[in-house]
């Protein structure tokens, strides 16, 4: 049985997975090089191993990535009391894993597959199952399906959709429905409310600092008056120094708050700018650097696409959620004079 079939069987039989979670195929097969997964857990063969891999930050992405350490940097200890399988079975599994990896890693002509440069599709990572909330991923040849249904059987959603079909539907939705006049009007209304709230909060913060500064200046004046009247002492001098430092800090905060921010305005022709930008990007989609750049720009505008089975029968409903900030940034490129909001909510 494949790891995927085993995971589905265990879930169907309500066998609890590690840490009480549901079983998935990766829980069983894991990653051989990193020693993860049931099939690679050396504890079962009576061995504890430290330092197999370490995590470092990728300077390009800022994300933590695993790096496999050479054998010399690892610490291995025999713990026979943990053994539950013999070396014969353990070694048979390792041989089988190596054979399967070689088999899967070849194409029809026997050439090694180039996984490092695997093609990234327009909607990779943004398709979501409306039933379980998991990801829709590529299955077979150019078809998307629910990963939860396929990998663990935990989701009843067995509907699939071709990559070309969903890409065309999303592009059509981007052009025709995502930024309609009603959406723009609703956003402008919400933006005005948010701006007025932020301006009121800024005025309150400035007023608080100004009142605190006035109080501090009064205390400084009182101490100076006491010193003039002959009441000087080291503690009084220390208190005066502290108040003067506090006054300087409050004045700096007030200057940093500045004057009231001007209202942010959207261009009156925002929908037209947006549709023109989408049409330009769609026209250059495909291979090459320009096509990849267009794909990334379109992907940035899509927060997620939720796919749910149609209640009436076969097929999938697609609900498109856009990233409005990315859309406004794209429109600003089309119209450099556009003044866009500094921040806004994602999705609509």
């Amino acid at each position: 049985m494949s790891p995927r079939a085993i995971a589905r069987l265990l879930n169907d039989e309500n066998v609890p997975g590690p840490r009480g979670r549901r079983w998935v195929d990766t829980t069983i097969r894991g990653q051989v090089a990193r020693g993860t997964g049931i099939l690679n857990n050396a504890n079962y063969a009576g061995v504890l191993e430290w330092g197999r891999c370490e995590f470092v930050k990728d300077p390009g992405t800022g994300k933590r990535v695993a790096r496999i350490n050479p054998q010399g940097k690892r610490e291995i200890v025999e713990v026979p009391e943990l053994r539950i399988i013999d070396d014969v079975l353990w070694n048979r599994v390792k041989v089988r894993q190596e054979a399967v990896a070689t088999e899967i890693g070849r194409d029809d002509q026997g050439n090694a597959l180039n996984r490092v440069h695997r093609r990234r599709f327009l909607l990779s990572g943004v398709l979501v199952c409306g039933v379980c909330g998991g990801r829709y991923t590529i299955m077979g040849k150019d078809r998307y399906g629910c990963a939860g249904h396929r990998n663990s059987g935990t989701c009843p959603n067995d509907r699939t959709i071709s990559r070309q079909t969903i890409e065309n539907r999303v592009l059509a939705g981007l052009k025709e429905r995502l930024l309609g006049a009603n959406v723009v009007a609703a956003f402008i209304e919400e933006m005005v409310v948010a701006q007025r709230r932020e301006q009121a909060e800024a005025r309150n913060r400035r007023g608080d600092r100004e009142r605190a500064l006035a109080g501090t200046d009064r205390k400084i004046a009182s101490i100076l008056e006491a010193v003039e009247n002959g009441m000087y002492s080291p503690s009084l001098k220390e208190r005066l120094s502290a108040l003067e430092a506090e006054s300087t800090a409050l004045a700096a905060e007030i200057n940093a708050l500045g004057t009231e921010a001007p209202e942010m305005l959207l261009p009156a022709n925002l929908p037209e700018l947006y549709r023109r930008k989408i049409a330009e990007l769609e026209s250059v989609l495909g291979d090459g650097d320009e096509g990849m750049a267009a794909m990334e720009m379109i992907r940035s505008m899509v927060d997620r696409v939720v796919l749910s089975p149609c209640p009436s029968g076969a097929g999938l409903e697609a609900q498109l959620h856009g990233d409005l900030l990315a859309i406004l940034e794209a429109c600003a490129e089309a119209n450099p004079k556009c003044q866009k909001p500094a921040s806004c909510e994602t999705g609509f």
Side-chain angles (χ1 to χ4, degrees):
M1 296 176 67
S2 68
R4 186 175 299 142
I6 295 171
R8 297 185 65 140
L9 178 61
L10 292 170
N11 288 325
D12 289 343
E13 295 178 350
N14 294 318
V15 177
R19 299 181 181 87
R21 294 195 293 258
R22 304 287 284 177
W23 291 90
V24 293
D25 58 335
T26 52
T27 309
I28 299 166
R29 58 181 171 82
Q31 297 184 33
V32 176
R34 291 178 57 183
T36 59
I38 298 291
L39 294 181
N40 305 305
N41 193 338
N43 293 359
Y44 303 151
V47 176
L48 277 178
E49 184 175 16
W50 290 273
R52 177 181 282 268
C53 67
E54 61 183 344
F55 288 90
V56 296
K57 181 176 287 188
D58 187 329
T61 63
K63 295 182 178 180
R64 293 171 71 243
V65 293
R67 294 283 185 264
I68 307 301
N69 285 329
Q71 196 72 26
K73 292 186 65 175
R74 305 177 191 178
E75 185 176 351
I76 301 174
V77 178
E78 298 287 338
V79 280
E81 65 272 17
L82 295 182
R83 181 187 290 274
I84 60 174
I85 61 173
D86 57 37
D87 288 336
V88 174
L89 178 56
W90 176 262
N91 292 329
R92 283 176 57 198
V93 170
K94 298 298 107 181
V95 171
R96 174 63 177 156
Q97 284 178 311
E98 185 176 353
V100 169
T102 302
E103 180 182 346
I104 293 176
R106 303 282 176 179
D107 60 18
D108 294 339
Q109 286 74 42
N111 300 315
L113 296 176
N114 189 348
R115 290 190 176 89
V116 176
H117 298 95
R118 182 178 293 172
R119 184 182 177 190
R120 192 181 187 192
F121 299 119
L122 178 64
L123 301 178
S124 297
V126 300
L127 298 179
V128 179
C129 176
V131 177
C132 69
R135 293 293 182 187
Y136 253 68
T137 57
I138 284 289
M139 300 177 180
K141 182 173 176 58
D142 280 358
R143 288 198 74 82
Y144 284 103
C146 174
H149 176 79
R150 183 192 189 201
N151 295 338
S152 61
T154 56
C155 179
N157 183 10
D158 60 355
R159 307 286 175 83
T160 64
I161 189 169
S162 73
R163 179 176 64 82
Q164 293 80 6
T165 298
I166 189 58
E167 287 181 359
N168 290 337
R169 287 173 64 178
V170 168
L171 287 171
L174 281 171
K175 288 188 295 185
E176 300 166 9
R177 303 182 62 183
L178 189 56
L179 204 63
N182 59 332
V183 173
V184 175
F187 173 70
I188 291 175
E189 183 179 352
E190 291 291 332
M191 187 181 69
V192 169
V193 171
Q195 285 180 166
R196 289 175 179 171
R197 181 174 62 250
E198 290 176 0
Q199 289 170 352
E201 292 173 353
R203 285 194 296 269
N204 291 337
R205 287 194 298 270
R206 186 181 180 88
D208 291 341
R209 300 299 186 276
E210 289 175 343
R211 285 188 290 273
L213 177 61
T216 301
D217 289 343
R218 282 195 298 271
K219 293 176 183 177
I220 292 174
S222 298
I223 292 176
L224 291 175
E225 184 179 356
V227 171
E228 290 174 352
N229 292 333
M231 299 176 61
Y232 176 80
S233 69
S235 60
L236 204 59
K237 179 182 178 182
E238 184 178 343
R239 176 61 175 158
L240 179 61
S241 298
L243 287 171
E244 288 176 339
E246 183 179 340
S247 176
T248 302
L250 287 169
E253 286 186 43
I254 292 171
N255 289 333
L257 289 172
T259 57
E260 190 170 292
E263 289 190 0
M264 297 292 185
L265 301 177
L266 292 174
N269 63 336
L270 176 61
E272 289 77 11
L273 287 172
Y274 165 74
R275 292 189 186 93
R276 189 179 74 202
K277 186 68 176 180
I278 293 295
E280 291 172 356
L281 293 171
E282 187 180 14
S283 67
V284 296
L285 275 178
D287 296 329
D289 293 340
E290 189 177 12
M292 291 297 293
M295 183 180 74
E296 290 302 322
M297 177 67 78
I298 291 176
R299 282 172 52 82
S300 72
M301 298 182 185
V302 180
D303 181 53
R304 66 188 184 280
V305 180
V306 181
L307 299 175
S308 304
C310 293
S312 58
L316 286 164
E317 291 181 348
Q319 186 181 46
L320 174 61
H321 296 255
D323 186 331
L324 192 50
L325 181 58
I327 290 172
L328 293 174
E329 289 174 347
C331 292
E333 291 182 8
N335 180 20
K337 296 181 180 180
C338 165
Q339 188 178 27
K340 62 181 181 296
S343 63
C344 57
E345 294 295 326
T346 298
F348 54 81

